[in-house]
Coordinates of all heavy atoms in Angstrom, one line a residue:
A199 N -1.8 25.8 4.6 CA -3.0 26.6 4.4 C -3.3 27.4 5.7 O -3.7 28.6 5.6 CB -4.2 25.7 4.1
L200 N -3.2 26.8 6.8 CA -3.4 27.5 8.1 C -2.4 28.6 8.4 O -2.7 29.6 9.1 CB -3.5 26.5 9.3 CG -4.7 25.6 9.3 CD1 -4.4 24.4 10.3 CD2 -5.9 26.3 9.6
A201 N -1.2 28.5 7.7 CA -0.2 29.5 7.9 C -0.3 30.6 6.8 O 0.5 31.4 6.7 CB 1.2 28.9 7.8
G202 N -1.4 30.5 6.0 CA -1.7 31.5 4.9 C -0.9 31.3 3.7 O -0.8 32.2 2.8
R203 N -0.4 30.0 3.4 CA 0.4 29.8 2.2 C -0.3 28.8 1.2 O 0.4 28.2 0.4 CB 1.8 29.2 2.6 CG 2.6 30.0 3.5 CD 4.0 29.5 3.6 NE 4.1 28.1 4.0 CZ 4.1 27.7 5.2 NH1 4.0 28.5 6.2 NH2 4.1 26.3 5.4
G204 N -1.6 28.8 1.3 CA -2.2 27.8 0.4 C -3.6 28.3 -0.2 O -4.6 27.6 -0.1
R205 N -3.6 29.5 -0.7 CA -4.9 30.0 -1.2 C -5.6 29.2 -2.2 O -6.8 28.9 -2.0 CB -4.7 31.4 -1.8 CG -6.0 32.2 -2.1 CD -5.7 33.6 -2.6 NE -4.9 33.5 -3.9 CZ -4.5 34.6 -4.5 NH1 -4.7 35.8 -4.0 NH2 -3.8 34.5 -5.6
R206 N -4.9 28.7 -3.2 CA -5.6 27.9 -4.2 C -6.0 26.5 -3.6 O -7.1 26.0 -3.9 CB -4.7 27.6 -5.4 CG -5.3 26.8 -6.5 CD -6.6 27.4 -7.0 NE -7.2 26.6 -8.0 CZ -8.5 26.6 -8.2 NH1 -9.4 27.3 -7.5 NH2 -9.0 25.8 -9.2
M207 N -5.2 25.9 -2.7 CA -5.6 24.7 -2.1 C -6.9 24.9 -1.3 O -7.8 24.0 -1.3 CB -4.5 24.2 -1.2 CG -3.3 23.7 -1.9 SD -2.0 23.0 -0.8 CE -1.4 24.5 0.0
V208 N -7.0 26.0 -0.6 CA -8.2 26.3 0.2 C -9.4 26.5 -0.6 O -10.5 26.0 -0.3 CB -7.9 27.5 1.1 CG1 -9.2 27.9 1.9 CG2 -6.8 27.2 2.1
E209 N -9.2 27.2 -1.8 CA -10.3 27.4 -2.7 C -10.9 26.0 -3.2 O -12.1 25.8 -3.2 CB -9.9 28.2 -4.0 CG -9.6 29.6 -3.6 CD -9.1 30.4 -4.9 OE1 -8.8 29.7 -5.9 OE2 -8.9 31.6 -4.8
L210 N -10.0 25.1 -3.5 CA -10.4 23.8 -4.0 C -11.0 23.0 -2.9 O -11.8 22.0 -3.2 CB -9.2 23.0 -4.6 CG -8.6 23.6 -5.8 CD1 -7.3 22.9 -6.2 CD2 -9.6 23.5 -7.0
A211 N -10.7 23.3 -1.6 CA -11.3 22.6 -0.5 C -12.6 23.2 0.0 O -13.1 22.9 1.1 CB -10.3 22.5 0.7
G212 N -13.1 24.2 -0.8 CA -14.4 24.8 -0.4 C -14.3 26.0 0.5 O -15.2 26.4 1.1
G213 N -13.0 26.5 0.6 CA -12.8 27.7 1.4 C -12.4 27.5 2.9 O -12.2 28.5 3.6
D214 N -12.3 26.3 3.3 CA -11.9 26.0 4.7 C -10.5 25.3 4.7 O -10.3 24.2 4.2 CB -13.0 25.0 5.3 CG -12.7 24.8 6.8 OD1 -11.7 25.2 7.3 OD2 -13.6 24.3 7.5
P215 N -9.5 26.0 5.3 CA -8.2 25.4 5.4 C -8.2 24.0 6.1 O -7.3 23.2 5.7 CB -7.4 26.4 6.2 CG -8.1 27.7 6.1 CD -9.6 27.3 5.9
E216 N -9.1 23.8 7.0 CA -9.1 22.5 7.7 C -9.6 21.4 6.8 O -9.4 20.2 7.2 CB -10.0 22.6 9.0 CG -9.5 23.5 10.1 CD -8.3 22.9 10.8 OE1 -8.0 21.7 10.5 OE2 -7.8 23.5 11.8
H217 N -10.2 21.7 5.7 CA -10.7 20.7 4.8 C -9.7 20.3 3.7 O -10.0 19.5 2.8 CB -12.0 21.1 4.2 CG -13.1 21.1 5.2 ND1 -14.4 21.7 4.9 CD2 -13.2 20.6 6.4 CE1 -15.1 21.5 5.9 NE2 -14.5 20.9 6.9
V218 N -8.5 20.9 3.7 CA -7.5 20.6 2.6 C -7.0 19.2 2.8 O -6.6 18.8 3.9 CB -6.3 21.6 2.7 CG1 -5.2 21.1 1.8 CG2 -6.8 23.0 2.3
R219 N -7.1 18.4 1.7 CA -6.6 17.0 1.7 C -5.5 16.9 0.7 O -5.2 17.8 -0.1 CB -7.7 16.1 1.4 CG -8.9 16.1 2.3 CD -10.1 15.3 1.7 NE -10.5 15.9 0.5 CZ -11.2 15.3 -0.5 NH1 -11.6 14.1 -0.2 NH2 -11.5 15.9 -1.6
G220 N -4.9 15.7 0.5 CA -3.9 15.5 -0.5 C -4.4 15.7 -1.9 O -3.7 16.2 -2.7
E221 N -5.7 15.5 -2.1 CA -6.3 15.7 -3.5 C -6.2 17.2 -3.9 O -5.9 17.5 -5.0 CB -7.7 15.2 -3.5 CG -7.9 13.7 -3.5 CD -8.0 13.2 -2.0 OE1 -7.5 13.9 -1.1 OE2 -8.5 12.1 -1.8
E222 N -6.5 18.1 -2.9 CA -6.4 19.5 -3.2 C -5.0 20.0 -3.4 O -4.7 20.8 -4.3 CB -7.1 20.3 -2.1 CG -8.6 20.3 -2.1 CD -9.2 18.9 -1.5 OE1 -8.6 18.5 -0.5 OE2 -10.1 18.4 -2.1
V223 N -4.1 19.4 -2.7 CA -2.7 19.8 -2.9 C -2.2 19.4 -4.3 O -1.6 20.2 -5.0 CB -1.8 19.1 -1.8 CG1 -0.3 19.5 -2.1 CG2 -2.2 19.6 -0.4
T224 N -2.5 18.1 -4.6 CA -2.1 17.6 -5.9 C -2.8 18.4 -7.1 O -2.1 18.8 -8.1 CB -2.5 16.1 -6.1 OG1 -1.8 15.4 -5.0 CG2 -2.0 15.6 -7.4
A225 N -4.0 18.7 -6.9 CA -4.8 19.4 -8.0 C -4.2 20.8 -8.2 O -4.0 21.3 -9.3 CB -6.2 19.5 -7.7
A226 N -3.9 21.5 -7.1 CA -3.4 22.9 -7.2 C -2.0 22.9 -7.8 O -1.6 23.7 -8.6 CB -3.4 23.5 -5.8
A227 N -1.2 21.9 -7.3 CA 0.2 21.8 -7.9 C 0.1 21.5 -9.4 O 0.9 22.0 -10.2 CB 1.0 20.7 -7.2
A228 N -0.8 20.7 -9.8 CA -1.0 20.3 -11.3 C -1.3 21.6 -12.1 O -1.0 21.7 -13.2 CB -2.0 19.3 -11.5
E229 N -2.0 22.6 -11.4 CA -2.3 23.8 -12.1 C -1.1 24.8 -12.1 O -1.2 25.8 -12.8 CB -3.5 24.5 -11.3 CG -4.8 23.8 -11.4 CD -5.9 24.5 -10.6 OE1 -5.5 25.5 -9.9 OE2 -7.0 24.0 -10.5
G230 N 0.0 24.4 -11.5 CA 1.1 25.2 -11.4 C 1.2 26.2 -10.2 O 2.1 27.1 -10.2
D231 N 0.3 26.0 -9.3 CA 0.3 26.9 -8.1 C 1.6 26.7 -7.3 O 2.0 25.6 -6.9 CB -0.9 26.6 -7.2 CG -1.0 27.4 -6.0 OD1 -1.4 28.6 -6.1 OD2 -0.6 26.9 -4.9
A232 N 2.3 27.8 -7.1 CA 3.6 27.7 -6.5 C 3.6 27.2 -5.0 O 4.5 26.5 -4.6 CB 4.3 29.1 -6.5
E233 N 2.6 27.7 -4.3 CA 2.5 27.2 -2.8 C 2.2 25.7 -2.7 O 2.7 25.0 -1.9 CB 1.4 28.0 -2.1 CG 1.7 29.5 -2.0 CD 0.6 30.4 -1.5 OE1 -0.6 30.1 -1.9 OE2 0.8 31.4 -0.8
A234 N 1.3 25.3 -3.6 CA 1.0 23.8 -3.6 C 2.2 23.0 -4.0 O 2.5 21.9 -3.5 CB -0.2 23.5 -4.5
T235 N 2.9 23.6 -5.0 CA 4.1 22.9 -5.5 C 5.2 22.8 -4.4 O 5.9 21.8 -4.3 CB 4.7 23.6 -6.7 OG1 3.8 23.6 -7.8 CG2 6.0 22.9 -7.2
A236 N 5.3 23.8 -3.6 CA 6.2 23.8 -2.5 C 5.8 22.7 -1.5 O 6.7 22.0 -0.9 CB 6.3 25.2 -1.8
V237 N 4.5 22.6 -1.2 CA 4.1 21.5 -0.3 C 4.4 20.1 -0.9 O 4.9 19.2 -0.2 CB 2.6 21.6 0.0 CG1 2.1 20.4 0.7 CG2 2.3 22.9 0.7
M238 N 4.2 20.0 -2.2 CA 4.5 18.7 -2.9 C 6.0 18.4 -2.8 O 6.4 17.2 -2.6 CB 4.0 18.8 -4.3 CG 4.1 17.4 -5.0 SD 3.0 16.2 -4.4 CE 1.5 16.7 -5.1
T239 N 6.8 19.4 -2.9 CA 8.3 19.2 -2.8 C 8.7 18.8 -1.4 O 9.5 17.9 -1.2 CB 9.0 20.5 -3.2 OG1 8.7 20.8 -4.6 CG2 10.5 20.3 -3.1
Q240 N 8.1 19.4 -0.4 CA 8.3 19.0 1.0 C 7.9 17.5 1.2 O 8.6 16.8 1.8 CB 7.6 20.0 1.9 CG 7.8 19.6 3.4 CD 6.9 20.5 4.3 OE1 6.0 21.1 3.8 NE2 7.2 20.5 5.6
F241 N 6.7 17.2 0.7 CA 6.2 15.9 0.8 C 7.1 14.9 0.1 O 7.4 13.8 0.6 CB 4.8 15.8 0.2 CG 4.2 14.4 0.2 CD1 3.7 13.8 1.3 CD2 4.1 13.7 -1.0 CE1 3.1 12.6 1.3 CE2 3.6 12.4 -1.0 CZ 3.1 11.9 0.1
A242 N 7.6 15.2 -1.1 CA 8.5 14.3 -1.8 C 9.8 14.1 -1.1 O 10.4 13.0 -1.1 CB 8.8 15.0 -3.2
W243 N 10.3 15.1 -0.3 CA 11.5 14.9 0.5 C 11.2 13.8 1.6 O 12.1 12.9 1.8 CB 11.9 16.2 1.2 CG 13.2 16.0 1.9 CD1 14.5 16.3 1.5 CD2 13.4 15.6 3.3 NE1 15.4 16.0 2.4 CE2 14.8 15.6 3.6 CE3 12.5 15.2 4.3 CZ2 15.3 15.2 4.8 CZ3 13.0 14.8 5.6 CH2 14.4 14.9 5.8
W244 N 10.1 13.9 2.2 CA 9.8 12.8 3.2 C 9.6 11.5 2.6 O 10.1 10.4 3.2 CB 8.5 13.2 4.0 CG 8.6 14.2 5.0 CD1 8.2 15.5 5.0 CD2 9.3 14.1 6.3 NE1 8.6 16.2 6.1 CE2 9.2 15.4 6.9 CE3 9.9 13.0 6.9 CZ2 9.8 15.6 8.2 CZ3 10.5 13.3 8.2 CH2 10.4 14.5 8.8
L245 N 9.0 11.4 1.4 CA 9.0 10.1 0.7 C 10.4 9.6 0.4 O 10.7 8.4 0.6 CB 8.2 10.3 -0.6 CG 8.1 9.1 -1.6 CD1 7.5 7.9 -0.9 CD2 7.3 9.5 -2.8
A246 N 11.2 10.5 -0.1 CA 12.6 10.1 -0.5 C 13.4 9.6 0.7 O 14.2 8.7 0.6 CB 13.3 11.2 -1.2
L247 N 13.1 10.3 1.9 CA 13.8 9.8 3.1 C 13.6 8.4 3.4 O 14.5 7.6 3.7 CB 13.4 10.7 4.3 CG 14.0 10.3 5.6 CD1 15.5 10.5 5.7 CD2 13.3 11.1 6.8
G248 N 12.3 8.0 3.3 CA 12.0 6.6 3.6 C 12.5 5.7 2.5 O 13.0 4.6 2.8
L249 N 12.4 6.1 1.3 CA 13.0 5.3 0.2 C 14.5 5.1 0.3 O 15.0 4.0 0.1 CB 12.7 5.9 -1.2 CG 11.2 6.0 -1.5 CD1 11.0 6.7 -2.9 CD2 10.5 4.6 -1.6
A250 N 15.2 6.1 0.7 CA 16.6 6.0 0.9 C 16.9 5.0 2.1 O 17.9 4.2 2.0 CB 17.2 7.4 1.2
N251 N 16.2 5.1 3.2 CA 16.3 4.1 4.2 C 16.1 2.7 3.8 O 16.9 1.8 4.1 CB 15.4 4.4 5.4 CG 15.8 5.7 6.1 OD1 16.9 6.1 6.1 ND2 14.8 6.3 6.8
L252 N 15.1 2.5 2.9 CA 14.9 1.1 2.3 C 16.0 0.7 1.5 O 16.4 -0.5 1.5 CB 13.6 1.2 1.6 CG 12.3 1.3 2.4 CD1 11.1 1.6 1.5 CD2 12.1 0.1 3.3
A253 N 16.5 1.6 0.6 CA 17.6 1.3 -0.2 C 18.9 0.9 0.6 O 19.6 -0.1 0.2 CB 17.9 2.4 -1.2
N254 N 19.1 1.7 1.6 CA 20.3 1.3 2.5 C 20.1 0.0 3.2 O 21.1 -0.7 3.4 CB 20.5 2.5 3.6 CG 20.9 3.8 3.0 OD1 21.4 3.9 1.9 ND2 20.6 4.8 3.7
T255 N 18.9 -0.4 3.5 CA 18.7 -1.6 4.2 C 18.7 -2.9 3.3 O 19.2 -3.9 3.6 CB 17.3 -1.6 5.0 OG1 17.4 -0.4 5.8 CG2 17.1 -2.8 5.8
F256 N 18.0 -2.7 2.1 CA 17.7 -3.9 1.3 C 18.5 -4.0 0.0 O 18.5 -5.0 -0.7 CB 16.2 -4.1 1.0 CG 15.4 -4.3 2.2 CD1 14.6 -3.2 2.7 CD2 15.4 -5.5 2.9 CE1 13.8 -3.4 3.9 CE2 14.6 -5.7 4.0 CZ 13.8 -4.7 4.5
D257 N 19.1 -2.9 -0.4 CA 19.9 -2.8 -1.6 C 19.1 -3.3 -2.8 O 19.5 -4.3 -3.5 CB 21.2 -3.6 -1.5 CG 22.1 -3.5 -2.7 OD1 22.0 -2.5 -3.4 OD2 22.9 -4.4 -3.0
P258 N 17.9 -2.8 -3.1 CA 17.1 -3.3 -4.2 C 17.6 -2.8 -5.6 O 18.3 -1.7 -5.6 CB 15.7 -2.7 -3.9 CG 16.0 -1.4 -3.2 CD 17.3 -1.7 -2.4
E259 N 17.3 -3.4 -6.6 CA 17.6 -2.9 -7.9 C 16.5 -2.0 -8.4 O 16.6 -1.2 -9.4 CB 17.8 -4.1 -8.9 CG 16.6 -5.0 -9.0 CD 17.0 -6.3 -9.8 OE1 17.6 -6.2 -10.9 OE2 16.7 -7.4 -9.3
M260 N 15.3 -2.1 -7.8 CA 14.2 -1.3 -8.1 C 13.3 -1.0 -7.0 O 13.1 -1.9 -6.1 CB 13.3 -2.0 -9.2 CG 12.1 -1.3 -9.7 SD 11.2 -2.2 -11.0 CE 12.2 -1.8 -12.4
L261 N 12.8 0.2 -6.9 CA 11.7 0.6 -5.9 C 10.5 0.9 -6.7 O 10.5 1.8 -7.6 CB 12.1 1.9 -5.1 CG 13.3 1.7 -4.1 CD1 13.9 3.0 -3.8 CD2 12.8 1.0 -2.9
V262 N 9.4 0.2 -6.4 CA 8.1 0.4 -7.2 C 7.1 1.0 -6.3 O 6.8 0.6 -5.2 CB 7.5 -1.0 -7.6 CG1 6.2 -0.8 -8.4 CG2 8.6 -1.8 -8.5
L263 N 6.6 2.2 -6.7 CA 5.6 2.9 -6.0 C 4.2 2.7 -6.5 O 4.0 2.9 -7.7 CB 6.0 4.5 -6.0 CG 7.4 4.8 -5.6 CD1 7.5 6.3 -5.7 CD2 7.8 4.3 -4.3
G264 N 3.3 2.3 -5.6 CA 2.0 2.1 -6.0 C 1.0 2.9 -5.1 O 1.4 3.6 -4.2
G265 N -0.3 2.7 -5.3 CA -1.3 3.4 -4.5 C -1.7 4.7 -5.2 O -1.2 5.1 -6.2
G266 N -2.8 5.3 -4.7 CA -3.4 6.4 -5.3 C -2.5 7.7 -5.5 O -2.7 8.4 -6.4
L267 N -1.5 7.8 -4.6 CA -0.7 9.0 -4.7 C 0.2 9.1 -6.0 O 0.5 10.2 -6.4 CB 0.2 9.1 -3.5 CG -0.4 9.6 -2.2 CD1 0.6 9.5 -1.0 CD2 -0.9 11.1 -2.3
V268 N 0.5 7.9 -6.6 CA 1.4 8.0 -7.7 C 0.7 8.6 -9.0 O 1.3 8.8 -10.0 CB 1.9 6.6 -8.0 CG1 2.7 6.1 -6.9 CG2 0.9 5.6 -8.4
T269 N -0.6 8.8 -8.9 CA -1.3 9.4 -10.0 C -0.8 10.9 -10.2 O -1.0 11.5 -11.2 CB -2.8 9.4 -9.8 OG1 -3.2 10.1 -8.6 CG2 -3.4 8.0 -9.8
A270 N -0.1 11.4 -9.2 CA 0.5 12.8 -9.3 C 1.6 12.8 -10.3 O 2.0 13.8 -10.7 CB 1.0 13.2 -7.9
G271 N 2.1 11.6 -10.6 CA 3.2 11.5 -11.7 C 4.4 12.3 -11.3 O 4.9 12.2 -10.2

Side-chain angles (χ1 to χ4, degrees):
L200 290 167
R203 299 193 308 272
R205 184 177 62 182
R206 180 56 181 153
M207 292 184 289
V208 173
E209 289 176 355
L210 292 172
D214 187 346
E216 291 286 0
H217 289 170
V218 171
R219 301 168 302 163
E221 290 89 338
E222 284 77 42
V223 178
T224 302
E229 293 176 0
D231 180 77
E233 292 170 325
T235 299
V237 172
M238 188 66 77
T239 299
Q240 181 187 13
F241 176 75
W243 185 90
W244 282 109
L245 174 59
L247 175 66
L249 296 179
N251 288 338
L252 292 170
N254 292 341
T255 303
F256 296 107
D257 185 29
E259 54 193 311
M260 176 180 283
L261 291 160
V262 180
L263 308 185
L267 282 174
V268 300
T269 58

